[in-house]
Amino acid sequence: MENTNLEIDEKSNQETKPVKEKSWKSDVLEIVESTFITVFVIVLIFTYLLHPVNVVGHSMVPTLNDGDRIFMSTITNISCGDIVVINNDAAYLFDDNGEVYEASSGSLNECIIKRVIACGGQTVDIDFDTWEITVDGEVLDEEYINSEAFEAGYTLNNDGAFDYPFTVPEGYYFVMGDNRNNSSDSRNPRVGLIKDDQIYGKAVIKYSPEIEIL
């Protein structure tokens, strides 16, 4: 009986060795495969979905400060209240007939970041004394703005790009900075209305100096 048990144990050990070797190789292959897939997905995300952007300037204080770093999504629908990154390579204003035209005076010709206040088809009005922004007859609740200048008694800057109220044409946006008296935005004839194809994308996450969903 003892010899029989020994033979069985030896056979058992011989049979389990290849199984252990196969399992070890499978684990390594799974790790390599998982790592490759993870890296591939991350590359896809940062190539086609999210792009890092450095904030320059103070026009979006207190929401964004000079030197902040954000991720911008290029695949998204733009809505009122969104913070967008803009290629200000042209400025669009109204002519005497109320038609949109590209201003010959030029644009800032730089990348800017602003908040969408009104979209195509919406009517925007500004009270430059009370700082109230009205869109389609409703006063916006803008807790995000830097109100220090207003509290100090300053009126809101009117740079003369438009006569208010007016309706934003389809395919365009009216944008403003959160730091209202220190922002060149749609109030300025060198910025004016923003065309659809001028928007690079929407700011979604601030990741430096701290993480914050925008």
Side-chain angles (χ1 to χ4, degrees), residues 39-52 71-76 200-202:
V39 172
F40 181 71
V41 170
I42 290 174
V43 170
L44 282 179
I45 289 175
F46 286 99
T47 301
Y48 298 104
L49 298 180
L50 295 178
H51 297 267
F71 283 127
M72 173 191 74
S73 172
T74 56
I75 303 178
T76 184
Y200 285 129
K202 169 185 172 181

Side-chain angles (χ1 to χ4, degrees), residues 60 63 81-83 113-117 144 174-176 178:
M60 286 299 293
T63 307
D82 289 343
I83 298 172
I113 182 165
K114 307 293 176 184
R115 189 183 296 274
V116 175
I117 300 301
Y144 44 75
F174 185 88
V175 301
M176 298 179 75
D178 290 354

Side-chain angles (χ1 to χ4, degrees), residues 12-13 21 27 37 76 87 91 107 116 144 164 178 181 196 214:
S12 176
N13 289 336
E21 184 178 353
D27 289 343
I37 291 174
T76 184
N87 176 21
S107 64
V116 175
Y144 44 75
Y164 304 90
D178 290 354
N181 270 24
D196 267 330
L214 299 173

Side-chain angles (χ1 to χ4, degrees), residues 115-212:
R115 189 183 296 274
V116 175
I117 300 301
C119 303
Q122 293 186 308
T123 299
V124 61
D125 195 8
I126 301 177
D127 188 321
F128 290 92
D129 292 321
T130 65
W131 286 45
E132 288 183 342
I133 311 296
T134 303
V135 176
D136 289 342
E138 294 188 11
V139 177
L140 299 183
D141 182 12
E142 299 188 292
E143 296 181 353
Y144 44 75
I145 69 168
N146 184 3
S147 58
E148 290 182 1
F150 172 70
E151 292 168 354
Y154 291 95
T155 58
L156 189 62
N157 291 343
N158 180 4
D159 296 327
F162 302 105
D163 294 323
Y164 304 90
F166 74 90
T167 300
V168 180
E170 294 294 341
Y172 293 86
Y173 300 90
F174 185 88
V175 301
M176 298 179 75
D178 290 354
N179 195 8
R180 292 287 156 83
N181 270 24
N182 289 278
S183 172
S184 294
D185 48 43
S186 286
R187 295 168 291 168
N188 190 305
R190 295 190 67 193
V191 178
L193 296 172
I194 301 302
K195 202 173 184 179
D196 267 330
D197 59 12
Q198 289 182 290
I199 295 182
Y200 285 129
K202 169 185 172 181
V204 291
I205 300 173
K206 180 174 74 172
Y207 66 91
S208 177
E210 58 186 15
I211 296 177
E212 181 181 345

Side-chain angles (χ1 to χ4, degrees), residues 18-37:
V19 173
K20 288 182 179 179
E21 184 178 353
K22 183 179 180 181
S23 177
W24 178 82
K25 289 181 179 179
S26 297
D27 289 343
V28 171
L29 287 175
E30 287 179 5
I31 292 172
V32 172
E33 183 180 8
S34 297
T35 302
F36 176 79
I37 291 174

